[in-house]
Amino acid sequence: MPALSEVKHYLFGLWLLVKGNRAGFQYLDVSDRGMMRSFWAIVWCLPAIGLSWIWWRLAFIDDLAPGETLGALFFFRMAMLEAANWLIPIVLAGVLAGLLGIGKHYSAVVLTTNWLSVPFAYVYSVLSLLLILVPGLTGLIALVWLAAIIALVVSLSRILRMFFGDQKLMIATMTMVLIVPSLILSDVLEQFLGVYPG
C-alpha cells in the first residue's frame, strides 16, 4: 500500500497537471503497474467513505417506520453501491478508449481517476460531517457540494487535456463517461438496493 508521502507525491503531480504544468508527469507512474497501484486509492478513501455512510445512515433512520432497524445488510449494500460507482465508469472509459483508439492512454486515465478521488472523497466527507453537526446549513452545503462536483469536472478535464492535447470533443466525452454514470448510478442503485431515504 502506498505510504502517505507517496500519495502526496501523486496528488502534487495531478495538481501540476491541473495547472497545465507538464512537470506533473514526473510525479506519476502511468505504467500498467502504476495503474494497478492506483486502486489503493480506494483504501485511502475508506475513512471518508465511512463518514459519508454514517451521515447517509442517519438520514435513512429518520425515514424508518417505528420498530424498524438497520443492520449489517445496509452497509453491505452501501459497499456494493460504492464499488459500482467506482468501477463502472472506469470500465466504460476502457470501452471508450478502445473505440476511439486511445488505449495507450487508458492507464493514465485510470490512475488519474483513482487518485483524484482521494481529495474529493474527503471534501464530501467534511460536507457530510457538517450536515450531521449543523443540519440547518443544508442549503449552503448543497451549494458547496455542487461547487465540488464542478471542481472535479474542471480538474479532470484539465488533466485529460494534458494527455489528449486540444481534442476537446474527446476530452469532454471521456470526462462525461467518468463522472455522469456515477451520478446516474447513485440514484438508480440507491433505490434498487433499498438504501434511498424517503
Side-chain angles (χ1 to χ4, degrees), residues 17 25 31 36 38 40 44 56 74 80 119 138 143 147 157 171:
L17 293 180
F25 285 116
S31 66
M36 296 307 296
S38 73
W40 281 107
W44 276 100
W56 197 252
F74 173 82
M80 290 174 61
T138 301
L143 288 175
S157 60
I171 294 168

Side-chain angles (χ1 to χ4, degrees), residues 48 52 119-129 144-145 148-150 152:
S52 298
F120 283 96
Y122 282 91
V123 169
Y124 298 142
S125 72
V126 169
L127 295 178
S128 296
L129 181 60
V144 177
W145 208 298
I149 292 173
I150 292 172
L152 175 60

Side-chain angles (χ1 to χ4, degrees), residues 53-72:
W53 286 4
I54 291 171
W55 165 70
W56 197 252
R57 183 177 185 274
L58 291 173
F60 199 88
I61 287 174
D62 288 341
D63 294 318
L64 288 180
E68 283 189 283
T69 59
L70 290 177

Side-chain angles (χ1 to χ4, degrees), residues 47-122:
I49 291 171
L51 185 56
S52 298
W53 286 4
I54 291 171
W55 165 70
W56 197 252
R57 183 177 185 274
L58 291 173
F60 199 88
I61 287 174
D62 288 341
D63 294 318
L64 288 180
E68 283 189 283
T69 59
L70 290 177
L73 183 59
F74 173 82
F75 293 104
F76 176 72
R77 289 174 175 173
M78 291 298 292
M80 290 174 61
L81 174 65
E82 199 71 43
N85 282 335
W86 198 296
L87 297 175
I88 290 177
I90 289 176
V91 172
L92 292 176
V95 172
L96 180 64
L99 292 174
L100 297 179
I102 55 172
K104 65 180 181 179
H105 294 296
Y106 182 61
S107 294
V109 169
V110 172
L111 178 141
T112 296
T113 304
N114 285 343
W115 288 120
L116 200 57
S117 297
V118 175
F120 283 96
Y122 282 91

